[in-house]
């Protein structure tokens, strides 16, 4: 475990699996392959702290709207802030 400020704890076993919780906690990543196509505007790569609170549709809408007037970095920041405001207490990146 990694201890952080305000008694925050990170269980590192989540990233490498945990033999006591197999098959629920595994080292094998969940992946999805989709070829990039003409017309694709952006890709969102985010941690579970975002996806726990923000749906795919809402994330795409928020990022697309932000990119109309701001940089990709600002769109990423807006997505993370939306997850935080929605109540996520997990890692948000």
């Amino acid at each position: 475990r990694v201890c952080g400020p305000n008694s925050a704890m990170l269980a590192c076993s989540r990233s490498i699996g945990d033999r006591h919780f197999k098959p629920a906690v595994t080292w094998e990543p969940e992946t999805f392959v989709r070829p990039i196509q003409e017309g694709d505007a952006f890709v969102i790569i985010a941690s579970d702290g975002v996806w726990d609170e923000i749906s795919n549709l809402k994330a795409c809408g928020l990022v697309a709207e932000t990119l109309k007037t701001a940089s990709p970095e600002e769109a990423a920041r807006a997505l993370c802030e939306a997850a935080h405001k929605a109540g996520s207490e997990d890692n948000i990146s």
Side-chain angles (χ1 to χ4, degrees):
R1 291 199 179 272
V2 177
C3 299
N6 300 321
S7 301
M9 299 289 284
L10 171 64
C12 294
S13 63
R14 291 179 58 203
S15 64
I16 58 174
D18 189 315
R19 67 183 177 90
H20 298 290
F21 291 100
K22 282 185 180 178
V25 179
T26 177
W27 60 270
E28 294 181 42
E30 183 178 318
T31 61
F32 177 80
V33 177
R34 179 188 176 277
I36 295 174
Q37 300 174 358
E38 186 175 335
D40 288 345
F42 50 82
V43 174
I44 301 174
I45 301 172
S47 64
D48 59 342
V50 171
W51 300 124
D52 287 348
E53 300 296 332
I54 307 292
S55 71
N56 291 345
L57 188 60
K58 184 174 180 179
C60 287
L62 188 150
V63 169
E65 191 62 31
T66 304
L67 286 174
K68 289 180 182 178
T69 59
S71 70
E73 291 81 6
E74 290 169 301
R77 188 174 299 112
L79 182 58
C80 290
E81 288 173 1
H84 187 263
K85 286 179 184 176
S88 180
E89 294 183 2
D90 204 346
N91 56 323
I92 301 174
S93 58

